[in-house]
């Protein structure tokens, strides 16, 4: 999608991300790194249609790729539409020569997360004036084993039906709601085995997938 926003506001977010100061090894730090501002130079320069037409004339007069004009640019990936359900997929592997190695490091994640520092200032489904986009954790998928084999288990929160979430999914309606985690009982599920667990057990797991539902 081509954006023609004012360059001065194109890289602005709903909340000041510079005040976030995320802890390394946390989901906030992962999101901060994923949405950081990048400068594209040298071999990463951006093909500029405007510059090319200004230099060479209309596109149909360009017969050689050498006539295309590339320019330095800035790039930043931000959230333009806050989803009703937020799914975060952690990269749990790294290259070790020609092989892949599983990353077993614990990544800290909260019960309630605020996406505002990672949303564009003109996020489409956030009410004007809101500086918070809050989500409550309701599911975690964990993998044990290696890159070649292993076992998936899940942590799921059982709670009362969330009418607010239904409104978001079915009708796109959003309104201010409580900013605390949705109350409920957590369960650990491994094949046919299901047992209740504490929230501290959930937050100490080696998360592979995280599922959050929107609160605000």
């Amino acid at each position: 999608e081509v954006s023609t926003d004012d360059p001065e506001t194109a890289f602005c977010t709903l909340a000041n991300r510079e005040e976030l100061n995320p802890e390394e090894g946390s989901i906030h730090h992962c999101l901060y790194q994923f949405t950081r501002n990048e400068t594209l130079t040298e071999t990463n320069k951006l093909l500029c249609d405007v510059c090319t037409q200004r230099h060479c004339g209309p596109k149909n007069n360009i017969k050689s790729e050498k006539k295309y004009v590339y320019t330095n640019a800035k790039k930043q990936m931000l959230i333009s539409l806050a989803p009703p359900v937020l799914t975060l997929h952690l990269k749990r592997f790294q290259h070790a020569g020609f092989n892949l190695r599983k990353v077993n490091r614990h990544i800290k994640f909260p019960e309630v997360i605020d996406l505002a520092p990672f949303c564009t200032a003109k996020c489409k489904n956030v009410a004007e004036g809101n500086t918070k986009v809050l989500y409550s954790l309701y599911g975690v998928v964990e993998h044990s084993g290696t890159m070649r084999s292993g076992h998936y288990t899940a942590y799921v929160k059982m709670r009362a039906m969330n009418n607010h979430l239904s409104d978001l999914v079915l009708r796109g309606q959003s309104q201010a709601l409580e900013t605390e985690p949705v109350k409920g009982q957590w369960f650990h599920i491994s094949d046919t085995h299901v047992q209740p667990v504490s929230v501290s057990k959930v937050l100490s797991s080696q998360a592979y997938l995280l599922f959050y539902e929107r609160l605000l």
Side-chain angles (χ1 to χ4, degrees):
E1 181 180 345
V2 177
S3 174
T4 57
D5 290 344
D6 182 348
E8 295 299 322
T9 60
F11 297 96
C12 293
T13 51
L14 280 175
N16 188 348
R17 58 189 283 117
E18 299 308 319
E19 295 179 356
L20 188 61
N21 192 25
E23 178 184 358
E24 188 173 353
S26 68
I27 200 68
H28 288 96
H29 188 261
C30 294
L31 288 168
Y32 186 87
Q33 290 293 99
F34 187 77
T35 59
R36 72 185 186 279
N37 195 319
E38 300 178 60
T39 301
L40 306 179
T41 60
E42 299 179 355
T43 57
N44 291 321
K45 284 185 178 181
L46 194 69
L47 171 61
C48 180
D49 290 335
V50 175
C51 301
T52 298
Q53 291 182 32
R54 186 183 299 132
H55 185 263
C56 305
K59 281 186 178 180
N60 53 14
N61 290 337
I62 301 174
K63 298 181 180 180
S64 171
E65 186 178 343
K66 294 181 180 178
K67 291 186 178 181
Y68 285 108
V69 177
Y70 294 82
T71 184
N72 293 336
K74 287 184 178 181
K75 170 190 171 183
Q76 187 173 25
M77 298 181 68
L78 295 172
I79 298 169
S80 63
L81 184 69
V85 174
L86 173 68
T87 305
L88 299 177
H89 183 182
L90 279 67
K91 181 181 176 182
R92 282 286 181 187
F93 68 89
Q94 63 183 13
H95 289 276
F98 293 101
N99 298 316
L100 293 177
R101 178 183 300 165
K102 185 183 174 185
V103 177
N104 289 312
R105 181 183 182 183
H106 174 68
I107 300 298
K108 294 182 179 179
F109 54 94
E111 281 191 84
V112 173
I113 190 169
D114 184 5
L115 278 194
F118 317 110
C119 292
T120 176
K122 296 182 179 180
C123 199
K124 297 172 185 175
N125 57 345
V126 176
E128 187 174 353
N130 276 9
T131 57
K132 289 184 179 295
V133 183
L134 302 179
Y135 289 81
S136 178
L137 183 71
Y138 75 89
V140 179
V141 172
E142 185 177 40
H143 178 268
S144 58
T146 66
M147 292 293 297
R148 294 182 178 274
S149 65
H151 180 59
Y152 290 97
T153 58
Y155 293 92
V156 179
K157 179 187 283 187
M158 182 179 178
R159 74 283 189 275
M161 180 179 176
N162 189 338
N163 292 324
H164 172 64
L165 183 62
S166 299
D167 289 339
L168 280 171
V169 173
L170 299 176
R171 292 180 283 278
Q173 298 174 356
S174 178
Q175 61 184 19
L177 209 75
E178 69 274 4
T179 58
E180 296 297 321
V182 176
K183 294 180 180 180
Q185 172 64 55
W186 281 97
F187 290 89
H188 182 237
I189 303 171
S190 177
D191 292 335
T192 58
H193 301 283
V194 180
Q195 62 179 354
V197 293
S198 65
V199 65
S200 60
K201 174 70 174 177
V202 176
L203 297 179
S204 65
S205 64
Q206 298 278 20
Y208 178 60
L209 288 167
L210 295 169
F211 299 91
Y212 287 86
E213 58 182 316
R214 190 170 173 187
L215 292 177
L216 180 64

